[in-house]
Amino acid sequence: MTRSTTWPTDGMSYGGDYNPDQWSPETWEEDIRLMTEARVNIVTLGVFSWGNYEPEEGRFEFEWLDTVFDLLHAAGISVDLATPTAAPPIWLHQKHPEILPVTREGKRYWQGGRLGWCASTPIWRTHALRIAEVLAARYGDHPALKMWHVSNELGGGNRTCFCDESAAHFRRWLVDKYSTIDALNQAWGTAFWGHRYVDFAQVLPPRDSETVPNPGLQLDFDRFSSAALLEHFEAEAAVLRAATPHLPVTTNFMVSTRPSVADYARWAPRMDVLANDHYTIGEDPAREQELAMSADRMRGMRLGQPWLLMEHSSSAVNWQPRNRAKVPGELVRNSLSHVARGSDGALFFQWRASSAGAEQFHSAMVPHAGTRSKVWADVCELGRNLDALRDVVGTLVEPARVALLIDEEAFWAWKSGPKPVNDEPIWDTGRNLHRALFDAGVLTDVVPPWVDLDRYRLVIVPSLFLASDDTARALAEFAADGGHVVVTHLSGIVDPTNRVRTGGYPGAFKDMLGVMSEEFFPLLAGQSVTLDNGWKADGWTERLHADDAEIIASYADGDLAGHPAVTRRAIGDGAAGGSTAGTAWYVSTTLGRAALADLVDRLLAESGVAASIVVPRGVEAVRRIGDTGSFVFLLNHGADAVRIDTVAGHDLLGDRAVDRGFELAGGACAVVRE
Ligand code: GAL
């Protein structure tokens, strides 16, 4: 179990976005001194610097960047060089305003932001590839250069564009996908409102109309928009790979527990190093779990390979309504949680806090206050910690026995048109189940539905609104082989064309589950129901028939009193490989937290899965294993000291031997080599 990717640093990667062009050369000297003090070993350079090294078309001022490269190299710091396409220079926008994205309403943006480009515009592509070539020619052989960082957060501003070039590109994509216009009409159900097309030339993106667009069209436009951005990535990456075949190419994803701007799980195979930007949300009462689930989602995109936390914040951000600062030690715990869950490093946005510009009030590794600060103390502590974790590099997270299926397309399909409830974020279903598992100390792989399920004992299907026949088949086979599956409300409702599967819900899974739901009964705001086993639920209920399943709990009150709410079907005898019979559970309602905890306990017991490291509640414990040993990460998110009775060895962070029963102080972390 060791990573196979070319990695940009020898040890754990540590550093952040570095924007020396915002500062004087005297500051650069100080930067290098402080980076060395903090044990930074990599910086991402030049993300937004195009206009600073090509202020006018064809006139380059690279001297400053040359100097910074040399300074970094002399200090042993690697460079992750960005292509600067996240911020086209002013002259390019003035010369070619047609590269700026157009909104659904038909408004073309103006210069002055970032990611001000449409992925379908040929002249944009020409300029983007030209600047990538210039950079590759100038810095490709520089010994400090260890990785390429294509643009920045592709889609984080230019997720969609509705211009005529995009429309033409969309139509080419549709011709490729459907071949004939009849196939498209069939897929989108254009008989509805008589929106039948006779020619691909008639198709437009879902531009603003007086009502909502066709959901099939909307979903395909989301898919296309993601594909257009990936195509842009591929074009830049091809230039870089041709010039420097030995260097890895990455781009930073924005994966959280919510829907993403792009279909990252389908992008993941195209990345040499898989990288993510993650920011905690101040208002979120379960920030640690949100972080953990996001990290589990990153790991799940390419199981068995480490990934890299490319950006997070040292403290407050500046884009939430109120920006919460991190308390002492939180920066370290956040970083180590990502590392525990498979990141081989921790990078920040950004190295030095800007004094001007749109992000002048965003935290950084060097805050406005300078080094006399809690942030700097934490930054230095994290540097020491990551250094001490040298032997963890390349090890892999212990295999999980539980999988939770997430598909971006299912989220997009849910958002593609009016639904029975239009204020229900279905992504919360998965998050709540992950939280129950997190609280139980059980590691979960958050994976796309097409992964091989054999390695798991329990598979959770949380409001997987869109599901393919392949997914339905894979789950049914998994259960027939002795696996345990739990499907929740709003799963398998539409097929990949976004058409409802008729004959009862949850269409794709009802045979496996032995149930049929005839009608949705969403609850109104403030309403709740009780089940006859005492579980409470709110939000969603269904009129369900348990045709071939045991009833675990029925609705005890409300419109559906007496009807089944939660069911379980025993499947097969385990002869096909499993030691026990498989089961397929259906949960037709949105269970409250206590009920979910109870349900998860039952599912874990039935599938024979337990926490692999038993620790007091409030402590996060994850193991990484490889040729260099076995390492247990212990993060105490609580304020009080706890006793750890199940782990012994050498704590790499504290450089001390620890026996079973050792004390972990409130807020503290340990990484124990067992
Ligand atoms: C990221 C972005 C960075 C910076 C950061 C602020 O999304 O990549 O450039 O803007 O957010 O939190």
Side-chain angles (χ1 to χ4, degrees):
M1 292 213 291
T2 303
R3 76 184 174 199
S4 60
T5 324
T6 320
W7 205 258
T9 54
D10 288 335
M12 287 280 166
S13 302
Y14 188 43
D17 277 27
Y18 182 33
N19 297 305
D21 33 344
Q22 296 175 15
W23 301 95
S24 67
E26 294 74 61
T27 313
W28 303 346
E29 304 280 347
E30 187 187 64
D31 286 336
I32 301 291
R33 186 171 59 71
L34 293 179
M35 283 180 194
T36 307
E37 188 178 326
R39 309 189 189 205
V40 161
N41 61 7
I42 185 166
V43 294
T44 303
L45 207 53
V47 178
F48 303 110
S49 299
W50 193 343
N52 290 340
Y53 50 68
E54 194 185 11
E56 292 176 289
E57 185 168 10
R59 181 170 73 76
F60 292 99
E61 291 178 4
F62 274 127
E63 295 68 25
W64 67 270
L65 193 54
D66 296 349
T67 306
V68 170
F69 251 95
D70 292 344
L71 286 172
L72 289 165
H73 181 56
I77 299 168
S78 301
V79 173
D80 166 35
L81 184 60
T83 61
T85 52
I90 298 291
W91 62 260
L92 183 52
H93 275 151
Q94 302 242 324
K95 186 172 176 193
H96 291 294
E98 71 274 22
I99 70 173
L100 282 150
V102 171
T103 66
R104 183 185 290 274
E105 293 77 23
K107 183 188 98 171
R108 192 179 290 283
Y109 285 123
W110 290 88
Q111 68 184 42
R114 59 185 203 185
L115 286 167
W117 51 269
C118 153
S120 300
T121 308
I123 190 68
W124 160 252
R125 180 71 59 83
T126 305
H127 278 279
L129 300 194
R130 178 186 60 87
I131 199 67
E133 260 165 37
V134 168
L135 283 183
R138 190 167 187 105
Y139 298 105
D141 291 332
H142 197 288
L145 181 63
K146 299 292 183 207
M147 182 158 73
W148 288 108
H149 181 294
V150 169
S151 203
N152 191 64
E153 294 190 343
L154 294 163
N158 59 347
R159 173 175 188 249
T160 52
C161 175
F162 295 79
C163 75
D164 289 341
E165 287 287 4
S166 296
H169 191 189
F170 182 40
R171 286 189 290 268
R172 292 195 296 277
W173 184 88
L174 290 169
V175 170
D176 239 27
K177 175 166 182 172
Y178 292 109
S179 302
T180 70
I181 196 68
D182 283 350
L184 177 147
N185 281 314
Q186 174 58 25
W188 292 359
T190 56
F192 184 83
W193 285 347
H195 283 168
R196 203 175 126 191
Y197 302 98
V198 295
D199 197 303
F200 280 101
Q202 296 174 302
V203 181
L204 291 175
R207 289 176 178 159
D208 200 24
S209 67
E210 76 295 352
T211 56
V212 291
N214 176 304
L217 159 66
Q218 180 61 50
L219 176 59
D220 266 344
F221 189 66
D222 284 330
R223 288 178 172 129
F224 154 77
S225 300
S226 176
L229 288 166
L230 180 61
E231 189 184 303
H232 182 86
F233 167 85
E234 297 271 20
E236 284 200 32
V239 168
L240 304 171
R241 287 181 177 131
T244 53
H246 57 291
L247 292 178
V249 180
T250 188
T251 191
N252 41 352
F253 292 0
M254 290 172 275
V255 168
S256 69
T257 53
R258 300 173 54 79
S260 305
V261 298
D263 199 341
Y264 293 128
R266 288 177 176 82
W267 287 25
R270 310 301 309 155
M271 307 293 139
D272 298 329
V273 167
L274 205 54
N276 196 38
D277 296 351
H278 183 269
Y279 292 89
T280 53
I281 303 295
E283 300 283 357
D284 188 337
R287 283 185 297 276
E288 293 91 20
Q289 179 264 332
E290 198 282 336
L291 186 159
M293 182 172 172
S294 304
D296 290 346
R297 210 176 158 189
M298 281 308 292
R299 183 179 69 258
M301 289 197 192
R302 213 155 57 186
L303 283 167
Q305 286 296 308
W307 52 280
L308 179 61
L309 177 67
M310 184 62 88
E311 285 183 23
H312 69 317
S313 72
S314 65
S315 192
V317 298
N318 67 341
W319 43 262
Q320 294 171 19
R322 300 190 70 83
N323 295 289
R324 176 186 172 275
K326 293 188 180 178
V327 297
E330 191 173 346
L331 172 164
V332 172
R333 284 194 304 282
N334 285 174
S335 296
L336 292 182
S337 178
H338 286 288
V339 174
R341 291 168 190 276
S343 173
D344 266 1
L347 277 63
F348 291 88
F349 176 83
Q350 60 178 325
W351 165 250
R352 184 181 281 277
S354 304
S355 60
E359 299 189 304
Q360 61 184 163
F361 293 107
H362 194 291
S363 63
M365 297 172 82
V366 182
H368 289 153
T371 54
R372 196 178 142 210
S373 56
K374 150 220 102 182
V375 166
W376 180 250
D378 275 2
V379 161
C380 291
E381 185 185 335
L382 179 60
R384 286 191 297 275
N385 286 343
L386 292 175
D387 208 17
L389 298 184
R390 243 165 291 120
D391 288 350
V392 179
V393 168
T395 60
L396 300 179
V397 177
E398 181 174 42
R401 309 313 309 272
V402 181
L404 188 143
L405 306 190
I406 283 201
D407 187 356
E408 214 62 64
E409 290 195 347
F411 290 157
W412 293 348
W414 175 252
K415 295 200 298 178
S416 67
K419 295 294 186 302
V421 290
N422 292 299
D423 56 359
E424 167 124 352
I426 57 164
W427 34 97
D428 280 356
T429 313
R431 167 121 194 239
N432 292 338
L433 279 154
H434 184 280
R435 187 175 181 187
L437 288 154
F438 181 83
D439 289 346
V442 172
L443 182 74
T444 305
D445 282 347
V446 182
V447 291
W450 54 85
V451 303
D452 182 3
L453 300 176
D454 286 353
R455 69 188 101 200
Y456 302 111
R457 293 293 302 145
L458 173 63
V459 175
I460 297 173
V461 185
S463 298
L464 188 70
F465 183 70
L466 174 153
S468 67
D469 293 348
D470 284 348
T471 298
R473 206 172 307 119
L475 282 163
E477 281 168 12
F478 171 73
D481 284 355
H484 302 269
V485 182
V486 57
V487 176
T488 80
H489 74 296
L490 284 172
S491 294
I493 305 297
V494 299
D495 70 14
T497 69
N498 214 355
R499 258 181 193 271
V500 171
R501 293 173 178 273
T502 55
Y505 315 116
F509 306 119
K510 63 184 196 312
D511 292 346
M512 170 182 73
L513 297 166
V515 300
M516 192 279 261
S517 184
E518 61 171 281
E519 193 176 2
F520 301 141
F521 272 69
L523 301 179
L524 299 181
Q527 281 184 329
S528 62
V529 289
T530 305
L531 311 194
D532 60 5
N533 63 354
W535 289 355
K536 302 255 187 256
D538 57 23
W540 188 267
T541 61
E542 290 172 10
R543 197 176 165 89
L544 183 69
H545 301 272
D547 297 326
D548 180 21
E550 170 198 353
I551 297 170
I552 298 291
S554 296
Y555 294 105
D557 53 27
D559 292 341
L560 298 176
H563 287 267
V566 178
T567 62
R568 171 185 179 276
R569 177 166 175 251
I571 300 172
D573 56 5
S579 54
T580 55
T583 56
W585 292 63
Y586 184 58
V587 181
S588 72
T589 183
T590 35
L591 294 175
R593 197 163 166 208
L596 276 180
D598 231 21
L599 172 73
V600 160
D601 277 354
R602 272 204 70 168
L603 293 167
L604 290 173
E606 183 160 79
S607 54
V609 178
S612 107
I613 312 151
V614 177
V615 285
R617 207 175 163 101
V619 177
E620 184 178 343
V622 183
R623 184 179 276 114
R624 288 184 58 162
I625 307 170
D627 299 343
T628 47
S630 171
F631 305 87
V632 177
F633 285 69
L634 296 161
L635 318 177
N636 185 358
H637 294 296
D640 299 327
V642 291
R643 242 177 83 110
I644 304 292
D645 289 322
T646 46
V647 183
H650 191 83
D651 170 20
L652 298 175
L653 305 187
D655 193 14
R656 54 169 183 161
V658 290
D659 289 325
R660 286 177 208 282
F662 79 92
E663 184 179 288
L664 186 62
C669 303
V671 179
V672 180
R673 182 203 286 267
E674 294 178 292

